[in-house]
Amino acid sequence: LNSLRFSISWTRIFPNGDINNKNDKGVQYYHNVIKAIKAHNMKPVVTIYHFDHPQALEDKFQGWMSDQMIQSFADFADFLFSEYGKEVEYWLTLNEPNMHCTTVYNGGLAPNIPKDQQTAQNVYKCIHHEILAHAAAYRLYDKKYRKDQGGRVGMGALTFFARPNSTKWDDILAAERANLFEMGLILHPLVFGDYPDVVKETLTRAGKQDYLPTFTDAQKKDIAGASDFFGVNAYFGMTVADPNKGGESNAPGIAGGKGPRKDNNVTIVAIGDNKEPQYAGSTDVFGMINAWILRDMALWVKARFGPGVALFISENGLGSFTEKSKDDWESRAVYHSAYLRELMRAVNEDGVNYIGYSAWAFLDDFEWSSGYTRHFGLVHVDYEHGTLDRTPKRSHHFFKRMMKDRSVPLVLPSRSADTSSATGPAIAMPSALAVVLAAAISLLSHDSS
């Protein structure tokens, strides 16, 4: 493997959020991490912000609810560029603001937002401020560091990529809305300088035009083109249809919540290829194989934002609550083979500008509300007995062969494998509707986006 993506904890560097009060041991720790990565001939891919910031900033001005957070983040990024920039080529400023803000302001993540502040308006405000924070860090890098360091600075977004339920035009437009309300909410401003017109018009028709903040003319100029690449976190997709009436989306479970996913005016027909009720609110969707999304999503980005847009899959992986064995060949090896083959089809057949891929995750890790119970790692960590021993799972042979041969091995599930659970993932095959969606998008001008 030739890269390792990791994030830097803001509080570990500036415990109180004060740039004049840094923690020297924390600073040195990340020097050690970067040194170890490079000693193994790997490139560090650094995420500056992955959902955590000093409590002091929350106490002082309510974190991402305040535009003061933009400068605080830029100051933090400035320090990191200065301290580590000569050793880091790839920077992701903020990890999936669309997921982060939706989860925080629906009460699903720290800092435990009061009920009366868990509103759709605050979801949009949080996303707005994170976009501006990214742009501030990007322009700062341009001005102070790019000439000497030559790095690349991008921003991450989550996709539950949507495909239409049929070739009917209304269903195609529903899929377009779903995608513009999801990753389009991040990419569109950073390519064209503003939110998609479709998002604005859909909110206005629903009487929610005041939900989405506006960019000033100066901000529009600043954010347009403010990304060297886009990190995309991609796990599973959805099939959507036009609801044939106004109103809110029926977005379930992890794909739901107040904000963009409720406001996109679509009906979710399936999560992945599964229409069964148990998937509606399930978080076990990370055990499904929807490999088609890495090609469908890339074709959509190419058609919507242009062929020059560089994509980096910053997260993709299989998470299982039921994994009891280190033999994950029928699950994780099958999973990554399917996704990476679709990614390479997008590169080789469609000319998509994919520049990188990072599996989530290297180690079994702490998965937010799931704690240590959901296993994503390529390497098993013994949390159960407290030894923390690390053991490569069987799927690591897939990655070793791939990196040695520089091609994706074909791994298919055996006939005896259980294909209905996370130990033997349900496989959603690529959709011919991808071509329909991409072709339809080409008919839509950016003016109507």
Side-chain angles (χ1 to χ4, degrees):
L1 306 182
N2 60 13
S3 67
L4 182 71
R5 175 180 174 239
F6 68 96
S7 59
I8 293 180
S9 172
W10 194 336
T11 308
R12 203 171 197 168
I13 304 297
F14 300 116
N16 298 312
D18 182 355
I19 59 174
N20 297 310
N21 182 26
K22 71 177 188 293
N23 171 24
D24 290 329
K25 289 184 178 180
V27 173
Q28 184 57 47
Y29 170 77
Y30 289 111
H31 276 298
N32 297 344
V33 171
I34 292 170
K35 183 178 180 181
I37 293 170
K38 301 193 80 170
H40 287 82
N41 298 315
M42 301 169 76
K43 292 183 178 182
V45 178
V46 178
T47 299
I48 296 175
Y49 183 86
H50 195 139
F51 301 178
D52 62 311
H53 56 263
Q55 179 66 37
L57 302 182
E58 201 67 29
D59 296 339
K60 189 176 180 181
F61 48 69
Q62 293 187 296
W64 290 110
M65 286 297 94
S66 170
D67 58 8
Q68 295 181 64
M69 193 67 161
I70 298 167
Q71 187 58 53
S72 293
F73 177 79
D75 290 341
F76 175 47
D78 191 2
F79 176 82
L80 299 188
F81 293 149
S82 175
E83 188 73 21
Y84 307 111
K86 292 182 179 179
E87 302 296 326
V88 175
E89 183 178 349
Y90 293 96
W91 296 92
L92 278 161
T93 53
L94 297 106
N95 182 64
E96 54 182 35
N98 49 344
M99 181 63 171
H100 174 238
C101 296
T102 298
T103 309
V104 167
Y105 290 95
N106 278 276
L109 277 178
N112 193 25
I113 300 300
K115 284 282 187 182
D116 63 350
Q117 295 178 34
Q118 294 176 23
T119 66
Q121 292 95 322
N122 283 347
V123 173
Y124 289 107
K125 182 188 287 188
C126 173
I127 291 172
H128 190 75
H129 286 157
E130 291 198 19
I131 290 171
L132 291 171
H134 160 80
Y138 182 88
R139 297 305 179 192
L140 184 149
Y141 189 86
D142 263 351
K143 184 177 180 180
K144 293 180 64 175
Y145 301 105
R146 189 179 298 277
K147 182 179 179 180
D148 292 333
Q149 296 180 3
R152 304 178 74 175
V153 180
M155 187 178 188
L158 177 74
T159 180
F160 299 134
F161 193 74
R163 59 184 179 183
N165 189 47
S166 74
T167 57
K168 293 179 181 178
W169 187 244
D170 286 348
D171 285 350
I172 291 170
L173 292 180
E176 178 73 353
R177 279 197 306 278
N179 292 324
L180 286 172
F181 266 89
E182 191 65 65
M183 65 185 300
L185 210 58
I186 309 298
L187 270 65
H188 202 280
L190 295 177
V191 174
F192 301 120
D194 202 359
Y195 294 116
D197 286 344
V198 166
V199 171
K200 296 178 185 179
E201 292 163 3
T202 303
L203 290 173
T204 298
R205 284 196 297 270
K208 300 176 179 179
Q209 58 269 24
D210 61 333
Y211 281 22
L212 190 67
T214 57
F215 295 112
T216 65
D217 289 342
Q219 288 171 339
K220 290 178 181 179
K221 184 178 179 180
D222 203 39
I223 64 178
S227 197
D228 299 323
F229 66 95
F230 290 103
V232 181
N233 297 350
Y235 294 92
F236 61 91
M238 301 186 297
T239 302
V240 302
D242 183 81
N244 296 314
K245 62 182 186 301
E248 295 182 335
S249 164
N250 65 334
I254 194 167
K258 301 170 187 173
R261 294 172 196 156
K262 270 288 190 195
D263 298 336
N264 58 19
N265 192 25
V266 306
T267 293
I268 295 179
V269 177
I271 300 292
D273 273 8
N274 293 278
K275 300 182 181 181
E276 294 87 351
Q278 69 264 29
Y279 278 99
S282 173
T283 55
D284 206 22
V285 288
F286 292 100
M288 298 189 298
I289 291 182
N290 294 168
W292 55 268
I293 66 173
L294 291 197
R295 188 176 182 219
D296 285 27
M297 176 273 296
L299 285 169
W300 180 79
V301 169
K302 183 181 178 184
R304 167 59 67 187
F305 302 107
V309 172
L311 296 175
F312 191 123
I313 296 299
S314 41
E315 290 183 20
N316 173 243
L318 181 143
S320 171
F321 286 114
T322 59
E323 184 175 275
K324 301 299 182 184
S325 168
K326 300 179 187 70
D327 185 353
D328 60 348
W329 189 260
E330 292 284 355
S331 56
R332 195 162 283 107
V334 170
Y335 181 103
H336 285 287
S337 175
Y339 278 85
L340 282 161
R341 281 183 282 121
E342 285 300 299
L343 183 149
M344 292 312 301
R345 283 188 68 196
V347 172
N348 295 328
E349 298 177 23
D350 307 313
V352 170
N353 188 17
Y354 268 125
I355 64 170
Y357 174 93
S358 183
W360 187 271
F362 173 48
L363 303 171
D364 284 336
D365 66 332
F366 182 82
E367 283 288 326
W368 305 112
S369 59
S370 298
Y372 296 106
T373 63
R374 179 189 279 137
H375 305 281
F376 271 97
L378 310 183
V379 174
H380 174 269
V381 180
D382 181 16
Y383 296 115
E384 184 179 4
H385 302 100
T387 68
L388 304 184
D389 288 345
R390 302 178 181 189
T391 309
K393 299 174 187 178
R394 188 181 171 196
S395 64
H396 86 276
H397 293 291
F398 165 85
F399 287 95
K400 287 182 69 174
R401 177 175 172 183
M402 180 175 69
M403 297 307 291
K404 180 182 178 182
D405 296 345
R406 304 302 296 174
S407 64
V408 181
L410 174 63
V411 183
L412 299 175
S414 67
R415 289 176 178 243
S416 61
D418 174 11
T419 59
S420 62
S421 70
T423 54
I427 299 177
M429 300 305 292
S431 169
L433 290 170
V435 179
V436 175
L437 183 58
I441 292 165
S442 69
L443 299 176
L444 301 172
S445 70
H446 292 312
D447 290 337
S448 64
S449 64

